[in-house]
Amino acid sequence: MTAAQVALLVGSAFVGGALNAVAGGGSFATFPALVWCGLGPVAANATSSVAIWPAQFGSSIAYRRQIGGAGLGSMAAVSHGCRSWVAQTKW
C-alpha cells in the first residue's frame, strides 16, 4: 500500500465519520476510497459499514437528548440484531 493510498483512506475515514455524525451517508466517502485502493465491492461495503458504525453510535449518544429515550432503545435493539446476525452467519 502506497503513502497516497494511506492518506486517501485516512482522509476519507475522517470525512465519512464527520458526515455520519452530522447527517449520515459517510459511506459516500469511504466506499469509493476502499474500492480505489483495491478492495472488492462486497469487502469494501462491509469494511465501510463496520468502520463507520462506531461513529454512528457515538453521535447517537451525543444527540441522545434530541432523539429521546426511544432512540437509545432502538440502538440497543439494532445492536442485539447485529450480534445475532453475526452469531448465526457461517463465515
Side-chain angles (χ1 to χ4, degrees), residues 26-83:
S27 292
F28 285 119
T30 58
F31 177 75
L34 289 166
V35 171
W36 184 80
C37 287
L39 260 65
V42 175
N45 189 24
T47 302
S48 179
S49 297
V50 170
I52 287 186
W53 187 82
Q56 182 180 6
F57 184 75
S59 64
S60 298
I61 297 297
Y63 290 119
R64 67 186 176 277
R65 287 187 178 85
Q66 287 81 5
I67 61 177
L72 293 177
S74 298
M75 286 186 334
V78 168
S79 175
H80 176 69
C82 289
R83 284 193 315 263

